[in-house]
Amino acid sequence: LLPLTAAVLSQFHEDGFLALERFFTAAECDGMRERIREVVAEMEVPPHCRTEFSTKEEEQLQAQGSSDYFLTSGDKIRFFFEKGVLDEKGNFLIPKEKSISKIGHALHAHDPVFKQITHSSKVQELGRKLGLERPVVVQSMYIFKVQSITSLVAVTPHQDATFLHTEPLGRVLGFWIALEDATLENGCLWFIPGSHTSGITRRMVRTSPGTSTCVEFIGSEPTYEDNRFIPVPISKGGLILIHGEVVHKSELNTSGLSRHAFTFHVMEAKDTSWSKENWLQPTPELPFPSLYT
């Protein structure tokens, strides 16, 4: 494990991201993959809930925004699919394990394997080294990033704070765990170093009741020059820390191999307010749990 020296921490504050190789063991990664195989095997999705997940803005508005299934997934384990994997009746056109884009958004609360990883002693220790006083877990996702037969999905440049807004900004931190080697070919993450210091220009917010979509974007995403991004490949078991405002993306998976990852977001709750306009809201059934146990 890379010791979290003052120099390493200052690198994180300068760049807005930090790659920590071999943070989790191969056995821990395999345990998560095995557990998700069981979850997928048991998956029963009613056809009307078969939401296709997209990162393109219009499709987000149409598919997610009009979908209660997405908006109410913050305290549940729910399934989101790649485009083109379901026929018009909602039946799978390809094996279901190859059809899923992600599973979210409360694996950390409801699944014992992912709960254990999220609250593992090394994650808690890392939180303390980062100076987090009252961190709470706001969401978690299992991301498949398969080489999709249909869409070869790239994730467009974005800032997590567009979707998870706090006052003040700078209180959200992503933990991104590679469950397989993340390479240039299979869609590793790319970052613009230092891009976490200029705030955000776009937010996804809940619309007023009765509007045709449940969420809308306010503001716009600037165009980022490709040459500002640097790739951050990482081996299986590696952890990437992602500042809530750093600009990042991932390219198409052209490898023929999957690129599974488990990711969760933490908010420093001390002196912070969570926006009531965020799509994701804590519920009486699931208030945001403390990272520290």
Side-chain angles (χ1 to χ4, degrees):
L1 277 182
L2 177 67
L4 271 189
T5 59
V8 169
L9 284 173
S10 82
Q11 195 65 51
F12 170 66
H13 293 304
E14 193 175 314
D15 291 339
F17 63 93
L18 179 64
L20 300 169
E21 287 281 8
R22 292 182 295 285
F23 193 85
F24 289 95
T25 64
E28 286 171 315
C29 295
D30 295 344
M32 286 186 265
R33 293 198 61 192
E34 185 47 47
R35 177 62 193 134
I36 222 70
R37 269 195 287 276
E38 294 166 5
V39 169
V40 172
E42 294 160 11
M43 169 178 77
E44 281 301 326
V45 189
H48 73 275
C49 290
R50 290 179 175 174
T51 306
E52 293 183 349
F53 181 74
S54 171
T55 57
K56 297 212 173 52
E57 191 166 315
E58 319 70 63
E59 289 155 359
Q60 267 176 338
L61 296 177
Q62 179 220 335
Q64 295 174 349
S66 57
S67 171
D68 198 45
Y69 187 73
F70 167 71
L71 266 197
T72 56
S73 63
D75 60 352
K76 302 176 187 68
I77 296 176
R78 289 198 164 161
F79 304 90
F80 301 89
F81 302 97
E82 294 285 12
K83 285 221 283 291
V85 300
L86 302 163
D87 65 18
E88 58 283 2
K89 295 198 179 72
N91 299 313
F92 291 107
L93 297 166
I94 60 173
K96 63 182 180 178
E97 62 279 2
K98 288 200 165 72
S99 66
I100 302 181
S101 164
K102 65 171 200 168
I103 297 177
H105 288 89
L107 285 160
H108 62 279
H110 297 313
D111 187 277
V113 172
F114 292 99
K115 186 175 196 171
Q116 198 285 317
I117 291 287
T118 304
H119 296 279
S120 57
S121 55
K122 47 196 167 188
V123 167
Q124 296 194 39
E125 185 192 350
L126 178 53
R128 292 195 166 91
K129 284 190 172 150
L130 289 162
L132 300 176
E133 292 184 54
R134 280 184 39 219
V136 294
V137 187
V138 300
Q139 70 158 3
S140 55
M141 289 185 285
Y142 191 102
I143 301 168
F144 290 80
K145 192 81 177 180
V146 290
Q147 181 179 22
S148 165
I149 297 163
T150 50
S151 58
L152 292 167
V153 170
V155 177
T156 51
H158 67 283
Q159 297 164 291
D160 293 342
T162 286
F163 307 94
L164 309 172
H165 192 267
T166 59
E167 296 279 342
L169 282 172
R171 300 305 174 89
V172 169
L173 181 63
F175 290 70
W176 192 96
I177 304 156
L179 304 185
E180 303 175 273
D181 292 351
T183 64
L184 287 171
E185 293 71 37
N186 74 358
C188 70
L189 299 181
W190 295 65
F191 291 88
I192 299 182
S195 56
H196 60 303
T197 55
S198 334
I200 59 170
T201 57
R202 184 174 77 129
R203 286 183 57 192
M204 185 170 101
V205 299
R206 288 182 173 236
T207 53
S208 10
T211 319
S212 60
T213 59
C214 303
V215 291
E216 65 183 352
F217 285 95
I218 50 178
S220 59
E221 198 69 65
T223 308
Y224 302 104
E225 293 98 50
D226 280 346
N227 61 8
R228 294 177 61 201
F229 286 91
I230 64 161
V232 183
I234 194 161
S235 311
K236 175 178 176 173
L239 168 69
I240 301 179
L241 287 175
I242 305 174
H243 186 286
E245 280 93 80
V246 75
V247 177
H248 58 290
K249 67 174 181 175
S250 67
E251 294 294 345
L252 302 179
N253 179 354
T254 57
S255 68
L257 303 167
S258 54
R259 190 225 65 188
H260 288 207
F262 175 58
T263 175
F264 58 92
H265 284 87
V266 163
M267 173 180 72
E268 168 61 90
K270 183 173 190 266
D271 302 328
T272 308
S273 66
W274 180 257
S275 173
K276 293 268 189 291
E277 296 180 311
N278 286 339
W279 75 266
L280 175 79
Q281 294 295 327
T283 61
E285 297 74 35
L286 183 64
F288 293 149
S290 171
L291 180 67
Y292 301 148
T293 49

